[in-house]
Amino acid sequence: PLAGLRVAEAPAAPGAPPAPGIAAEAVRFERVSTVAELDARLKSVEQPVMLDFYADWCVTCKEMERFTFSDPKVRAEMAQMVLLQVDVTKNTPEDQRLLKRFRLFGPPGIVFFDRGGREIPGLRVIGFQRADKFLQSLALARGS
């Protein structure tokens, strides 16, 4: 209801990080909510896949969105991948099954898959990563 009270901001310079208090355009993830949905989606991929475990209450997830996913170089690399996301905010039994499948205790956690839909061994991001380090993870995922 208060959306109309926002102050319009001048656009940032190209490549500049968003100003404090201004959200960058959100990365578009395809949500999956069951093991069956995930398996079906992984069978049909022809690009590397990034699977992001997220929750509304996860502060580090918000930091990844704000400081890492908003980086122009990161966004360019992620555009070359299938972006899937599991929202475990409600901690449902299906959320728990998905977390357990990947031996994760909770978000944030990012799992990468190759073009054949197979998890890339040893390539996971657990917790916050700065954009420069995350770019290295994305390059490794895209190279497989």
Side-chain angles (χ1 to χ4, degrees):
L2 301 176
L5 299 177
R6 291 187 186 147
V7 175
E9 296 285 340
I22 300 172
E25 182 180 329
V27 173
R28 304 248 185 233
F29 284 94
E30 177 184 337
R31 292 274 173 101
V32 291
S33 55
T34 67
V35 171
E37 274 182 45
L38 176 61
D39 288 341
R41 191 63 182 97
L42 289 173
K43 285 181 184 176
S44 66
V45 297
E46 295 179 6
Q47 294 175 285
V49 175
M50 179 179 126
L51 176 64
D52 177 46
F53 282 84
Y54 166 90
D56 289 342
W57 43 260
C58 172
V59 173
T60 306
C61 298
K62 303 288 187 184
E63 290 175 329
M64 285 294 288
E65 287 178 347
R66 173 113 172 115
F67 301 112
T68 304
F69 297 165
S70 65
D71 181 275
K73 290 178 184 175
V74 169
R75 292 176 72 84
E77 285 293 313
M78 289 172 62
Q80 308 299 313
M81 305 177 80
V82 174
L83 303 176
L84 302 178
Q85 188 174 63
V86 178
D87 182 351
V88 297
T89 300
K90 295 180 181 175
N91 199 28
T92 66
E94 194 58 45
D95 295 345
Q96 289 298 312
R97 278 191 279 283
L98 282 159
L99 286 164
K100 186 175 181 180
R101 176 177 177 169
F102 295 103
R103 298 172 311 283
L104 295 172
F105 293 107
I110 298 173
V111 182
F112 294 97
F113 300 85
D114 64 18
R115 290 170 176 80
R118 294 173 299 273
E119 183 178 350
I120 301 170
L123 184 58
R124 289 184 173 197
V125 174
I126 307 298
F128 178 77
Q129 257 188 10
R130 293 185 338 262
D132 56 339
K133 181 144 175 66
F134 191 65
L135 278 168
Q136 295 171 7
S137 299
L138 292 172
L140 289 170
R142 288 201 46 227
S144 58

